[in-house]
Each structure stands twice: as structure tokens, then as C-alpha cells.
Amino acid sequence: MKMKLTVLAIPSLPEGNYTDAACAGLTLRVGAKRRTWSVYYRIGGKLKQTTIGYWLPDNKGMGLADARKAAADLADRVNAGAPVEPPPPHPRQGSKTLGEVIDLYEKMRRAKGAKGTKTIDAALRTVRNNLGAHLKLPAKQFSKADLRAIRDEIHKRAPQQASRFLAYCGPIWRWMEQEDHVEVDVVRSVIKIASVTKRDRTLTHAEIKAIWHACDHVGTSRSARNFGKLVKFLLVTAQRRDEGASLKYGHILDGVWRQAENKSSRAHRLKLPPLALDLVGDGVAQEFVFMGDPGKKISGFSKHKKKLDEVSGTSGWVLHDLRRTAASGMQELGVDPSVIEATLNHAIVGVGAHYLHATVDRAKAHALAVWASEVERIVGAKRAVS
């Protein structure tokens, strides 16, 4: 088909051959996966064809103006009797896409048995979601300008998330450069607009009391009621939200919560105080303790948290602050810092790392019992833990 090609028309052309009416011999061949520029010419009466380049989206390949210039240059060479240069390789030839390289990075990390699997999952999910269509392009074509544009777009809606995205990209691109998947680590040259600040919020006794009693009035649905119980449970046990939400009745045996999977990727045993066991109650081994929809893990945290803030009159806190509040409370009650770290399932260094498991388990149980007793005193509960 002969037509005057335009920059706007090229991206949407259906499969077929399109001869440019504005440049003699120039043809764009649109295939299922490629758009190829070719020039047709005659030498000694015989029709010849030579590939001169490839059109790619986002100005990554040869554009219309460059294709017309290349076609004119080739015609001059033919008229002068000079040899025609061989066709260039496709820009994507031998180059993995950005998505494929990130897949290789993930495979490498998991093959090494790296700790913090859930952290890796979250980081890679964030990276992939924000890279979007760039994942389909060759990794070597992803530029600093591309990364800055993504950073700026994220920054418009969540400044700290933009910096966290760059932090997640850092080790991936360092590995890419080391393994020659890219020529330059572009992340190294892109600055973080907003620093990622660590939270240090702990709840006051008045806030603990207000939130505790408001947990009984979040809503009447199964999910809302269990959200309220989960909040109390996280405060008493000092564990992470997802670990509490993933708790099943079968994970607790003789009052001991056995965590096989968690963010730390370390087995964790906790003797639960009576206050926590009351919140758990009884159920079928394979059922979630804090169930959302029937048979499913609880969800809708943002919605329930918003309602809890309204009822309690307390805002500016997140669920993870319950864990920090519990740790701070245990410290004020005289619990040894190494025991608090063990209760939180943090890595223990030095002498504490070599304690006998039974000794550590007893120390953690005592720490939680002391803290649970303090929580009962703060919220005005009648039970007294011995």
C-alpha cells in the first residue's frame, strides 16, 4: 500500500507493507511483533531490498525522519556505485527485556535462600507495578530519564513511596550491572526527593485505652469484629499485622503459638498469655482466627482502621505502631532488651544468640505475661495475670 507515512499514523498501522509516498523506495513493513524500515532499489535492472532500521515505541528505534534520511543516503550510495551496508541488528536482538532480567534477579535471590522472603516479595511487587510498560523494553534501553519520570510520577501521590521505590531498585540494578545485563547502574545517579523516615510513634496509655475499647465498636460484620480483636491481639503479642492475620487455630498448641512462616523467615515460638488466648478463642485447626469472609484471611484494613480512628478519637498511628508500643512498654517494665528483641523475632547477636531455646522461650513468655498484665491495668480489665 502506498501512502504518505506520518509520525502519528505509524504506531497504529495494522500488519502489512506501507510504501512511503514522500520518499522513493522507503517501505515500512508492519509485522505481528516488529515494524521494519526497508528500502527497495534497482541494480542492473534487478530489484533489491535492504533493511535500514526498526521502528520502536517511545522513540527507542528509528523514527520516520531518520528513516527517510537513511533511504536517501542509501540511494546516493547505489547511484555512486558504492557497496550497500549490511542491515543493522534489531535493537532487541540478544537483549533481554527489563521484566525478564528482573525475573532472573528474583530467581537468583531465591536460589540463594535469602532471608526476608516477604520483604523481597513486597519490594519486587512495588518495582514491577511502577515500571509498568517499561518491563517489555530491552533492559539496556531503560535510561535515567525513564527512571526519573517514574520517580516524579510516584512522588506526586506518595513522596516517601517514590524514595522507597528507588531503594528497592538499587540492589536490582547493581546486580544487573555486575552481570552485564545493563551497561550502567542508572539508579545510582537518580536522587531520592524525599527521605524514607522511620516511624517512632508509640501510643500513650490514654490512647491504648481509647483504642482498646473502640475495638468493640468497629462494626457488626464478621470482618469488622475480627479486625477489632486482631488489633487487641497485636498489641498484646507485639507481632506483625500479617503474622496475626495469617494465624490459624492449628498454629496454637498448648497455648504456644508456633510461627513457621513470618517476615524474619525464622521459626518463632510464643507462649501466649491468657489475655491473648481469650482473644483467639476456639475454632477448627485450618480456620483463620481473625477471619474475614468465610474461609478467607481478613482484609479491608484501611476501611476498618478509618472507622477505629473515628470511634476511638485517636489518629496518626498505624497498626505497626502497636508492635513498637508493646516493645517500649516491656522495656519500661524492666524486660531485658535481648528478650524484647527475641519476642519481636529480631536477629539476636552476641551471647543472646546462643541461649538455649527453652530458656529463650521462657523469657519471652514472661515478657508477654508482664506486658499483658500492664495492658489489662491500662485498659481497666478485671483479669489479673499471675
Side-chain angles (χ1 to χ4, degrees):
M1 178 186 297
K2 192 169 185 176
M3 61 182 291
K4 184 177 180 180
L5 295 173
T6 65
V7 172
L8 293 177
I10 290 174
S12 59
L13 289 174
E15 292 184 33
N17 293 332
Y18 300 88
T19 301
D20 185 19
C23 182
L26 178 62
T27 296
L28 177 64
R29 185 169 66 253
V30 178
K33 296 183 178 180
R34 292 185 178 182
R35 284 171 165 76
T36 307
W37 293 111
S38 297
V39 176
Y40 287 85
Y41 55 94
R42 291 184 181 276
I43 296 181
K46 292 184 178 181
L47 186 64
K48 303 283 186 177
Q49 178 266 332
T50 293
T51 298
I52 58 172
Y54 304 88
W55 183 92
L56 290 172
D58 301 325
N59 299 317
K60 301 292 185 180
M62 178 180 279
L64 178 59
D66 290 337
R68 286 171 174 166
K69 183 178 184 304
D73 291 343
L74 188 145
D76 291 341
R77 294 180 65 83
V78 171
N79 293 333
V84 176
E85 296 179 352
H90 191 276
R92 294 181 181 175
Q93 184 174 327
S95 176
K96 290 183 172 60
T97 66
L98 187 57
E100 290 171 338
V101 177
I102 292 176
D103 290 344
L104 290 175
Y105 171 81
E106 180 180 8
K107 184 177 180 181
M108 176 276 297
R109 286 295 305 271
R110 297 192 187 285
K112 285 187 173 182
K115 293 182 177 180
T117 301
K118 289 188 177 180
T119 302
I120 296 173
D121 290 342
L124 290 174
R125 184 167 56 250
T126 298
V127 169
R128 288 178 173 126
N129 287 344
N130 286 292
L131 288 175
H134 292 281
L135 293 172
K136 298 179 180 180
L137 297 176
K140 291 183 178 180
Q141 291 185 12
F142 186 78
S143 66
K144 287 188 287 186
D146 295 327
L147 187 60
R148 288 194 191 101
I150 295 171
R151 175 203 62 186
D152 293 345
E153 186 61 32
I154 301 172
H155 187 266
K156 291 177 184 177
R157 61 179 188 269
Q160 287 204 20
Q161 185 61 35
S163 296
R164 186 167 287 110
F165 164 72
L166 291 177
Y168 289 155
C169 287
I172 299 175
W173 259 264
R174 283 196 295 273
W175 175 83
M176 286 185 187
E177 183 182 41
Q178 292 166 356
E179 294 296 314
D180 296 325
H181 290 297
V182 297
E183 295 178 2
V184 178
D185 173 6
V186 297
V187 181
R188 195 167 48 210
S189 303
V190 177
I191 64 171
K192 297 180 177 67
I193 299 177
S195 60
V196 179
T197 57
K198 291 187 176 181
R199 292 183 60 85
D200 57 2
R201 175 86 150 91
T202 56
L203 300 172
T204 65
H205 286 190
E207 289 173 330
I208 291 174
K209 183 175 182 178
I211 291 170
W212 184 275
H213 291 292
C215 283
D216 298 329
H217 306 285
V218 177
T220 57
S221 68
R222 182 206 309 266
S223 180
R225 294 196 307 272
N226 280 335
F227 175 80
K229 290 182 180 179
L230 175 61
V231 169
K232 292 181 178 181
F233 183 79
L234 296 178
L235 175 65
V236 175
T237 62
Q239 301 306 293
R240 300 180 180 91
R241 185 197 77 176
D242 288 345
E243 292 160 1
S246 301
L247 174 63
K248 294 182 178 180
Y249 290 101
H251 295 162
I252 300 175
L253 184 62
D254 296 330
V256 177
W257 179 10
R258 293 167 170 80
Q259 289 183 21
E261 296 182 5
N262 49 51
K263 182 179 178 181
S264 302
S265 297
R266 281 187 295 270
H268 191 34
R269 291 163 52 94
L270 284 175
K271 176 71 174 179
L272 297 178
L275 181 58
L277 291 173
D278 285 348
L279 293 167
V280 170
D282 298 317
V284 179
Q286 292 303 313
E287 285 187 351
F288 290 106
V289 172
F290 306 106
M291 188 185 301
D293 293 333
K296 295 183 179 180
K297 188 188 300 187
I298 189 172
S299 60
F301 293 104
S302 297
K303 177 183 67 176
H304 296 319
K305 171 63 165 55
K306 183 179 180 180
K307 180 64 175 178
L308 179 58
D309 286 353
E310 293 175 359
V311 177
S312 67
T314 304
S315 59
W317 65 285
V318 298
L319 292 182
H320 197 76
D321 293 337
L322 299 169
R323 178 173 165 88
R324 189 179 299 105
T325 298
S328 177
M330 284 186 274
Q331 186 176 29
E332 291 176 359
L333 292 168
V335 177
D336 187 274
S338 65
V339 176
I340 298 174
E341 294 295 317
T343 304
L344 298 174
N345 202 18
H346 287 168
I348 308 299
V349 296
V351 176
H354 303 288
Y355 287 164
L356 294 175
H357 291 299
T359 302
V360 175
D361 288 347
R362 284 194 296 270
K364 291 188 295 186
H366 175 71
L368 285 185
V370 169
W371 169 240
S373 180
E374 177 68 0
V375 170
E376 290 178 338
R377 185 191 67 78
I378 293 170
V379 303
K382 297 180 180 181
R383 174 198 292 276
V385 178
S386 58

